[in-house]
Amino acid sequence: MKTICILGLGYIGLPTASMFATHGFHVIGVDIRQQVVDTLNNGDVHIQEPGLKTLVQAALHSGNLIVRAQPEHADVFIIAVPTPFVHANGNQDEVKHADLSYVQAAAESIAACLAPGNLVVLESTSPPGTTADTVVPILARSGFEIGKEIFVAYCPERVLPGQILRELVSNDRVMGGINRASAEMARELYRAFVEGEILLTDATTAEMVKLMENTFRDVNIALANEFARVAEHLGINVWEAIEIANHHPRVKILKPGPGVGGHCIAVDPWFIAEAAPDVTPLIQTARRVNDAMPGHVVELVKQAVSGIEQPVIACLGLTYKADVDDTRESPAMEVVELLCTAGLNVRAFDPNVTATVIPSQVHCLDDALRDADALVVLVGHREFKEMDSAFDISLVRGRLVLDVCNVLKVEEWERAGFSVSKLGSGGVTGKK
Ligand code: SAJ
């Protein structure tokens, strides 16, 4: 297994390709987006992730990583393409479905390159059964016997954006083979750089394991968000309550927030619901609880500025979570869009998002703060945590702050004359 062809050079495929290339393999990285191929061939990286650029450049300079638009013959093929869901046209009751077209196209594109002894690995998060029922039949068109001549496994990634390079090496992995020989081949391959434990199972169980992990997190966050809304009714501080509850040795409640975003946790629970819609009320409800959070944050903002004529609102943060540059499925973006749709005058700023992703976006903090009546912290970026009201205070017109992520040092802001409200914390303070 010396040559690996990796299809999809995104958040998972590119780090994985570079990791194999810097561990002695010859890697052909493939992406159907010509712009990605050109960017990488020019020595640039299209993804912001700590340490990634250095690793990719090392892989390219070593000559072990080459980037192409088409797959080529190899010993191993790894499919790491997106599996988005089909958006359900705003129908809240509908179960959303996975779009497997990228996985299918990738499998079709390698069918012609296969040779006996090859291992094909699917890494993309997929509904249970995808490897056996979708990928295997496509590969079988090659005429080779699947399981005897061509080995197939499902090996999901579990890395956390922001810590991808460290977690690629240190995390435990699950390798689900369509038979034992496939799982063992996959283990031998990933052993090249994985230092965590490698657990073997069948492909469908491995697909379900991946989805269960992210669904566990989604349901836990939904519970935290529901607690936040109850705390608002009761007039208590949910952040303090969660912190104290988490002192219990068997309790670990996650944090409330403006909703759940990104391309994993906001999507993956639907893949389980899709497989068994009638027996997944909890999973579906958790998704809807989290999806309702941007709307709830908008209500809190409206409440805070209700006494102000034509208020100007500075929204801080656009990404789906703190300290990343990714705005996919971002609840912060949804809050900004909803505020704009409600006719409010919004200026959104994110230090990590340099491209213009939304019309109300400005590209420096001062432009967001100038004449603002209220500041809404939507993402707990390092820059906002450290802001401490130490900016040029004369820029802002009002003194209202809504901290949705509980990241501000409230006492310092209050000392500077601001009135700080939080999600999940009693009543929202409006204009006095
Ligand atoms: N969030 C909260 N409260 C929390 C934690 C997160 O509201 O207490 C929100 C975040 O702000 C964000 C969303 O949830 O909008 C998801 O963020 P995340 O950090 O929980 O997860 P991701 O999507 O960046 O990465 C997840 C990870 N899965 C788990 O931790 C179980 C990662 O390990 C997976 O590899 C990744 O999904 C993936 O690719 O599936």
Side-chain angles (χ1 to χ4, degrees):
M1 295 195 288
K2 276 285 166 223
T3 303
I4 307 175
C5 182
I6 301 193
L7 293 97
L9 296 176
Y11 280 83
I12 300 305
L14 183 59
T16 304
S18 309
M19 201 60 94
F20 276 119
T22 51
H23 284 76
F25 290 82
H26 177 61
V27 179
I28 306 151
V30 179
D31 204 292
I32 54 168
R33 296 165 295 176
Q34 190 58 45
Q35 206 189 346
V36 170
V37 175
D38 294 342
T39 303
L40 290 166
N41 280 331
N42 286 333
D44 278 332
V45 173
H46 58 293
I47 290 166
Q48 200 183 316
E49 173 67 26
L52 183 62
K53 192 168 182 179
T54 311
L55 183 72
V56 172
Q57 287 176 342
L60 290 167
H61 287 150
S62 72
N64 274 356
L65 174 63
I66 57 167
V67 181
R68 298 281 182 268
Q70 299 286 335
E72 294 176 9
H73 289 280
D75 302 308
V76 178
F77 295 87
I78 297 178
I79 299 173
V81 297
T83 41
F85 57 45
V86 182
H87 279 271
N89 293 333
N91 179 356
Q92 286 297 303
D93 298 327
E94 201 174 324
V95 171
K96 297 175 187 174
H97 293 271
D99 171 4
L100 288 178
S101 57
Y102 296 98
V103 171
Q104 286 164 330
E108 278 159 13
S109 75
I110 58 178
C113 301
L114 289 175
N118 280 173
L119 170 67
V120 178
V121 172
L122 178 63
E123 278 216 24
S124 314
T125 307
S126 305
T130 302
T131 306
D133 301 337
T134 301
V135 174
V136 164
I138 294 173
L139 300 178
R141 290 184 211 152
S142 64
F144 295 116
E145 197 176 343
I146 307 299
K148 284 221 170 98
E149 292 177 293
I150 304 293
F151 300 89
V152 186
Y154 180 71
C155 307
E157 52 72 25
R158 294 156 132 177
V159 290
L160 192 71
Q163 305 180 21
I164 288 180
L165 298 192
R166 186 167 59 75
E167 290 205 356
L168 259 184
V169 173
S170 64
N171 282 1
D172 293 348
R173 295 285 295 248
V174 54
M175 316 264 127
I178 55 150
N179 55 12
R180 183 78 191 178
S182 299
E184 282 172 0
M185 273 179 87
R187 176 171 58 189
E188 196 190 327
L189 173 72
Y190 284 90
R191 239 321 140 231
F193 65 82
V194 172
E195 289 172 7
E197 197 179 337
I198 296 182
L199 302 139
L200 304 192
T201 185
D202 64 87
T204 306
T205 302
E207 287 159 346
M208 189 62 185
V209 165
K210 167 70 193 180
L211 300 173
M212 281 162 58
E213 293 163 358
N214 281 351
T215 302
F216 166 78
R217 203 159 164 84
D218 194 46
V219 173
N220 191 332
I221 297 167
L223 188 62
N225 282 330
E226 200 158 286
F227 286 153
R229 300 192 62 172
V230 173
E232 286 167 13
H233 277 275
L234 297 178
I236 63 165
N237 181 337
V238 79
W239 304 92
E240 184 191 356
I242 289 176
E243 200 198 321
I244 297 170
N246 282 348
H247 276 261
H248 185 288
R250 284 172 294 285
V251 174
K252 178 79 187 85
I253 304 164
L254 290 172
K255 296 190 187 99
V260 169
H263 45 295
C264 307
I265 296 192
V267 178
D268 298 358
W270 287 118
F271 294 178
I272 299 183
E274 170 184 358
D278 297 337
V279 293
T280 48
L282 175 67
I283 294 171
Q284 296 180 43
T285 301
R287 274 286 64 249
R288 293 190 177 107
V289 166
N290 289 334
D291 280 350
M293 288 310 289
H296 177 62
V297 171
V298 166
E299 288 311 311
L300 294 181
V301 176
K302 283 186 186 165
Q303 211 176 311
V305 297
S306 62
I308 304 167
E309 221 174 295
Q310 296 187 322
V312 174
I313 298 160
C315 285
L316 305 184
L318 285 169
T319 57
Y320 85 93
K321 68 173 185 177
D323 304 324
V324 297
D325 67 339
D326 192 343
T327 54
R328 284 179 291 176
E329 308 289 334
S330 167
M333 290 267 286
E334 196 181 336
V335 169
V336 171
E337 274 160 8
L338 288 171
L339 287 171
C340 292
T341 309
L344 290 159
N345 189 350
V346 176
R347 300 206 204 104
F349 168 70
D350 192 307
N352 294 352
V353 182
T354 44
T356 300
V357 292
I358 201 162
S360 54
Q361 187 179 350
V362 293
H363 289 282
C364 81
L365 183 61
D366 283 2
D367 287 346
L369 299 177
R370 193 164 290 113
D371 296 330
D373 294 289
L375 274 57
V376 183
V377 181
L378 292 171
V379 183
H381 287 315
R382 204 170 297 121
E383 291 84 345
F384 301 148
K385 277 186 191 160
E386 288 159 6
M387 207 161 78
D388 285 11
S389 70
F391 56 88
D392 181 1
I393 219 162
S394 64
L395 279 175
V396 292
R397 188 161 58 199
R399 293 286 182 274
L400 296 176
V401 179
L402 174 63
D403 181 2
V404 179
C405 323
N406 191 35
V407 290
L408 301 183
K409 292 176 190 133
V410 175
E411 277 146 34
E412 291 182 27
W413 283 80
E414 284 180 346
R415 249 198 310 277
F418 285 85
S419 152
V420 182
S421 309
K422 287 182 185 185
L423 169 78
S425 183
V428 165
T429 317
K431 192 173 182 236
K432 297 262 173 17

Coordinates of all heavy atoms in Angstrom, one line a residue, residues 3-9 26-34 37 66-81 102-115 118-121 138-139:
T3 N 0.9 3.7 -2.7 CA 0.3 4.9 -3.4 C -1.1 5.0 -3.0 O -1.9 4.0 -3.1 CB 0.4 4.7 -4.9 OG1 1.8 4.5 -5.3 CG2 -0.1 5.9 -5.6
I4 N -1.5 6.2 -2.6 CA -2.8 6.5 -2.1 C -3.4 7.6 -2.9 O -2.8 8.7 -3.1 CB -2.9 6.9 -0.6 CG1 -2.1 5.9 0.3 CG2 -4.3 7.1 -0.1 CD1 -2.0 6.3 1.7
C5 N -4.6 7.4 -3.4 CA -5.3 8.4 -4.2 C -6.5 8.9 -3.3 O -7.3 8.1 -2.9 CB -5.9 7.8 -5.5 SG -6.7 9.0 -6.5
I6 N -6.5 10.2 -2.9 CA -7.5 10.7 -2.0 C -8.4 11.7 -2.7 O -7.9 12.7 -3.3 CB -6.8 11.5 -0.8 CG1 -5.9 10.5 -0.1 CG2 -7.9 12.1 0.1 CD1 -5.4 10.9 1.3
L7 N -9.7 11.4 -2.7 CA -10.6 12.2 -3.5 C -11.3 13.1 -2.5 O -12.0 12.7 -1.6 CB -11.7 11.2 -4.1 CG -11.1 10.4 -5.3 CD1 -10.7 9.0 -4.7 CD2 -12.0 10.3 -6.4
G8 N -11.2 14.4 -2.8 CA -11.8 15.5 -2.0 C -10.7 16.1 -1.1 O -10.3 15.4 -0.2
L9 N -10.3 17.3 -1.4 CA -9.2 17.9 -0.7 C -9.8 19.1 0.2 O -9.4 20.2 0.1 CB -8.1 18.4 -1.6 CG -7.4 17.3 -2.4 CD1 -6.4 17.9 -3.3 CD2 -6.7 16.3 -1.4
H26 N 3.2 7.8 -1.3 CA 3.1 8.6 -2.5 C 1.6 8.9 -2.6 O 0.8 8.0 -2.7 CB 3.6 7.9 -3.7 CG 3.4 8.7 -5.0 ND1 3.9 9.9 -5.2 CD2 2.6 8.4 -6.1 CE1 3.5 10.4 -6.3 NE2 2.7 9.5 -6.9
V27 N 1.2 10.2 -2.5 CA -0.2 10.5 -2.4 C -0.6 11.4 -3.7 O 0.0 12.4 -4.0 CB -0.5 11.3 -1.1 CG1 -2.0 11.7 -1.1 CG2 -0.1 10.5 0.1
I28 N -1.7 10.9 -4.3 CA -2.3 11.7 -5.4 C -3.6 12.3 -4.8 O -4.6 11.7 -4.5 CB -2.7 10.8 -6.6 CG1 -1.5 10.0 -7.0 CG2 -3.3 11.7 -7.7 CD1 -1.9 8.7 -7.7
G29 N -3.5 13.6 -4.5 CA -4.7 14.3 -4.0 C -5.6 14.8 -5.2 O -5.1 15.4 -6.1
V30 N -6.9 14.5 -5.1 CA -7.8 14.8 -6.2 C -8.9 15.7 -5.8 O -9.5 15.5 -4.7 CB -8.4 13.5 -6.8 CG1 -9.3 13.8 -8.0 CG2 -7.3 12.6 -7.3
D31 N -9.1 16.8 -6.5 CA -10.3 17.6 -6.2 C -10.9 18.0 -7.6 O -10.2 18.4 -8.5 CB -9.9 18.8 -5.4 CG -11.1 19.3 -4.6 OD1 -12.1 19.8 -5.3 OD2 -11.2 19.2 -3.4
I32 N -12.2 18.0 -7.6 CA -12.9 18.3 -8.9 C -12.9 19.8 -9.1 O -13.2 20.3 -10.2 CB -14.3 17.7 -9.0 CG1 -15.2 18.2 -7.8 CG2 -14.3 16.2 -9.1 CD1 -16.7 17.9 -7.9
R33 N -12.6 20.6 -8.0 CA -12.6 22.1 -8.2 C -11.2 22.5 -8.7 O -10.3 22.4 -7.9 CB -12.9 22.7 -6.8 CG -14.3 22.4 -6.3 CD -14.4 22.8 -4.8 NE -13.6 21.9 -4.0 CZ -13.4 22.1 -2.6 NH1 -14.1 23.1 -2.0 NH2 -12.6 21.3 -2.0
Q34 N -11.2 22.9 -9.9 CA -9.9 23.3 -10.5 C -9.2 24.4 -9.7 O -8.0 24.4 -9.6 CB -10.2 23.8 -12.0 CG -8.9 24.0 -12.8 CD -8.0 22.7 -12.9 OE1 -8.6 21.6 -13.2 NE2 -6.7 22.8 -12.7
V37 N -7.2 22.8 -7.0 CA -6.0 22.2 -7.6 C -5.0 23.2 -7.9 O -3.8 23.1 -7.5 CB -6.4 21.4 -8.9 CG1 -5.2 20.8 -9.6 CG2 -7.4 20.3 -8.6
I66 N 1.1 15.0 -4.8 CA 0.8 15.7 -6.1 C -0.7 15.9 -6.1 O -1.5 15.2 -5.5 CB 1.3 14.9 -7.3 CG1 0.7 13.5 -7.4 CG2 2.8 14.9 -7.4 CD1 0.9 12.9 -8.8
V67 N -1.1 17.0 -6.8 CA -2.5 17.4 -6.8 C -3.1 17.3 -8.2 O -2.4 17.9 -9.1 CB -2.7 18.8 -6.2 CG1 -4.2 19.1 -6.1 CG2 -2.2 18.8 -4.7
R68 N -4.2 16.7 -8.4 CA -4.8 16.5 -9.7 C -6.3 16.7 -9.7 O -6.9 16.7 -8.7 CB -4.5 15.0 -10.2 CG -3.0 14.6 -10.3 CD -2.5 15.2 -11.7 NE -1.1 14.8 -11.8 CZ 0.0 15.5 -11.5 NH1 -0.2 16.7 -10.9 NH2 1.2 15.1 -11.7
A69 N -6.8 16.8 -10.9 CA -8.3 17.0 -11.0 C -9.0 15.6 -11.3 O -10.2 15.6 -11.2 CB -8.7 18.0 -12.1
Q70 N -8.2 14.6 -11.6 CA -8.8 13.3 -11.9 C -8.0 12.2 -11.1 O -6.8 12.3 -10.9 CB -8.6 12.9 -13.4 CG -9.2 13.9 -14.4 CD -10.7 13.7 -14.4 OE1 -11.2 12.6 -14.1 NE2 -11.4 14.7 -14.8
P71 N -8.7 11.2 -10.7 CA -8.0 10.1 -10.0 C -7.1 9.3 -10.9 O -7.3 9.3 -12.1 CB -9.2 9.2 -9.5 CG -10.4 9.5 -10.3 CD -10.2 10.9 -10.8
E72 N -6.1 8.7 -10.3 CA -5.1 7.9 -11.1 C -5.0 6.5 -10.4 O -5.4 6.4 -9.2 CB -3.8 8.6 -11.1 CG -3.8 9.9 -11.9 CD -2.5 10.6 -11.9 OE1 -1.5 10.1 -11.4 OE2 -2.5 11.8 -12.4
H73 N -4.4 5.5 -11.0 CA -4.2 4.2 -10.4 C -3.4 4.4 -9.1 O -2.5 5.2 -9.0 CB -3.4 3.3 -11.4 CG -4.2 2.9 -12.6 ND1 -5.2 1.9 -12.5 CD2 -4.3 3.4 -13.8 CE1 -5.8 1.8 -13.7 NE2 -5.2 2.7 -14.5
A74 N -3.8 3.5 -8.1 CA -3.2 3.6 -6.8 C -3.4 2.3 -6.1 O -4.2 1.4 -6.6 CB -3.8 4.7 -6.0
D75 N -2.8 2.1 -4.9 CA -3.1 0.9 -4.1 C -4.3 1.1 -3.3 O -5.0 0.2 -3.0 CB -1.9 0.6 -3.2 CG -0.6 0.4 -4.0 OD1 -0.6 -0.4 -5.0 OD2 0.4 1.1 -3.7
V76 N -4.5 2.3 -2.8 CA -5.6 2.7 -1.9 C -6.3 3.9 -2.5 O -5.7 4.8 -3.0 CB -5.0 3.0 -0.5 CG1 -6.2 3.4 0.4 CG2 -4.2 1.8 0.1
F77 N -7.6 3.9 -2.3 CA -8.4 5.1 -2.7 C -9.2 5.5 -1.4 O -9.9 4.6 -0.8 CB -9.4 4.7 -3.8 CG -8.8 4.4 -5.1 CD1 -8.4 3.1 -5.4 CD2 -8.5 5.4 -6.1 CE1 -7.7 2.8 -6.5 CE2 -7.9 5.1 -7.2 CZ -7.5 3.7 -7.5
I78 N -9.1 6.8 -1.1 CA -9.8 7.3 0.1 C -10.8 8.3 -0.4 O -10.4 9.3 -1.1 CB -8.9 7.9 1.1 CG1 -7.9 6.8 1.7 CG2 -9.7 8.5 2.3 CD1 -6.9 7.3 2.7
I79 N -12.1 8.1 -0.1 CA -13.1 9.1 -0.5 C -13.4 10.0 0.7 O -13.9 9.5 1.7 CB -14.4 8.4 -1.0 CG1 -14.1 7.4 -2.2 CG2 -15.5 9.4 -1.3 CD1 -15.3 6.6 -2.6
A80 N -13.1 11.3 0.5 CA -13.4 12.3 1.6 C -14.1 13.5 1.0 O -13.7 14.6 1.2 CB -12.0 12.7 2.2
V81 N -15.2 13.2 0.4 CA -16.0 14.3 -0.3 C -17.2 14.7 0.6 O -17.5 13.9 1.6 CB -16.5 13.8 -1.7 CG1 -15.4 13.5 -2.6 CG2 -17.4 12.6 -1.5
Y102 N -22.1 13.3 -4.3 CA -20.6 13.5 -4.3 C -19.9 12.1 -4.1 O -18.9 11.8 -4.7 CB -20.1 14.5 -3.3 CG -20.6 15.9 -3.5 CD1 -21.7 16.4 -2.8 CD2 -20.0 16.7 -4.5 CE1 -22.1 17.7 -3.1 CE2 -20.4 18.0 -4.7 CZ -21.5 18.5 -4.0 OH -21.9 19.8 -4.2
V103 N -20.5 11.4 -3.1 CA -19.9 10.0 -2.8 C -20.1 9.1 -4.0 O -19.1 8.4 -4.4 CB -20.6 9.4 -1.6 CG1 -20.2 7.9 -1.4 CG2 -20.3 10.2 -0.3
Q104 N -21.3 9.2 -4.6 CA -21.5 8.3 -5.8 C -20.5 8.7 -7.0 O -19.9 7.8 -7.6 CB -23.0 8.5 -6.3 CG -23.9 7.8 -5.4 CD -25.4 8.2 -5.6 OE1 -25.6 9.3 -5.9 NE2 -26.3 7.3 -5.3
A105 N -20.4 10.0 -7.2 CA -19.5 10.4 -8.3 C -18.1 10.0 -8.0 O -17.4 9.6 -9.0 CB -19.7 12.0 -8.5
A106 N -17.7 10.1 -6.8 CA -16.3 9.8 -6.5 C -16.1 8.3 -6.7 O -15.1 7.9 -7.3 CB -16.0 10.2 -5.0
A107 N -17.0 7.5 -6.2 CA -16.9 6.0 -6.4 C -16.9 5.7 -7.9 O -16.1 4.8 -8.3 CB -18.1 5.3 -5.7
E108 N -17.8 6.3 -8.7 CA -17.8 6.1 -10.1 C -16.5 6.4 -10.7 O -15.9 5.7 -11.6 CB -18.9 6.9 -10.8 CG -20.3 6.2 -10.6 CD -21.5 7.1 -10.8 OE1 -21.3 8.3 -11.2 OE2 -22.6 6.7 -10.4
S109 N -15.9 7.6 -10.3 CA -14.6 8.0 -10.9 C -13.4 7.1 -10.6 O -12.5 7.1 -11.4 CB -14.3 9.4 -10.5 OG -13.8 9.5 -9.2
I110 N -13.5 6.3 -9.5 CA -12.4 5.4 -9.3 C -12.6 4.0 -9.8 O -11.7 3.2 -10.0 CB -12.0 5.3 -7.8 CG1 -13.2 4.8 -6.9 CG2 -11.4 6.6 -7.3 CD1 -12.8 4.7 -5.4
A111 N -13.9 3.7 -10.2 CA -14.2 2.3 -10.6 C -13.3 1.9 -11.8 O -12.8 0.8 -11.9 CB -15.7 2.2 -11.0
A112 N -13.0 2.9 -12.7 CA -12.2 2.6 -13.8 C -10.7 2.4 -13.5 O -9.9 1.9 -14.3 CB -12.4 3.7 -14.9
C113 N -10.3 2.9 -12.3 CA -8.8 2.9 -12.0 C -8.5 1.6 -11.1 O -7.3 1.4 -10.8 CB -8.5 4.1 -11.2 SG -8.8 5.6 -12.0
L114 N -9.5 0.8 -10.8 CA -9.3 -0.2 -9.8 C -8.4 -1.4 -10.4 O -8.5 -1.7 -11.6 CB -10.6 -0.8 -9.3 CG -11.4 0.1 -8.4 CD1 -12.8 -0.5 -8.1 CD2 -10.7 0.4 -7.1
A115 N -7.7 -2.0 -9.5 CA -6.9 -3.2 -9.8 C -7.0 -4.2 -8.6 O -7.2 -3.7 -7.5 CB -5.5 -2.9 -10.1
N118 N -6.7 -3.7 -4.4 CA -6.9 -2.4 -4.0 C -7.8 -2.3 -2.7 O -8.7 -3.2 -2.5 CB -7.6 -1.6 -5.0 CG -6.7 -1.1 -6.1 OD1 -7.1 -0.5 -7.1 ND2 -5.4 -1.2 -6.0
L119 N -7.6 -1.3 -1.9 CA -8.4 -1.0 -0.8 C -9.1 0.3 -1.1 O -8.5 1.3 -1.5 CB -7.6 -0.8 0.5 CG -8.3 -0.3 1.7 CD1 -9.4 -1.3 2.3 CD2 -7.3 0.0 2.9
V120 N -10.5 0.4 -0.9 CA -11.2 1.6 -1.1 C -11.8 2.0 0.3 O -12.5 1.1 0.9 CB -12.4 1.4 -2.1 CG1 -13.2 2.7 -2.2 CG2 -11.8 1.1 -3.5
V121 N -11.5 3.2 0.7 CA -12.0 3.6 2.1 C -12.9 4.8 1.9 O -12.6 5.8 1.1 CB -10.8 4.1 2.9 CG1 -11.3 4.8 4.2 CG2 -9.9 2.9 3.2
I138 N -21.4 0.3 -6.9 CA -20.7 1.1 -7.9 C -19.3 0.5 -8.2 O -18.9 0.3 -9.4 CB -20.6 2.6 -7.5 CG1 -21.9 3.2 -7.4 CG2 -19.7 3.3 -8.4 CD1 -22.0 4.6 -6.8
L139 N -18.6 0.1 -7.1 CA -17.2 -0.5 -7.3 C -17.4 -1.9 -8.1 O -16.5 -2.2 -8.8 CB -16.5 -0.7 -6.0 CG -16.3 0.6 -5.2 CD1 -15.6 0.3 -3.9 CD2 -15.5 1.6 -6.0

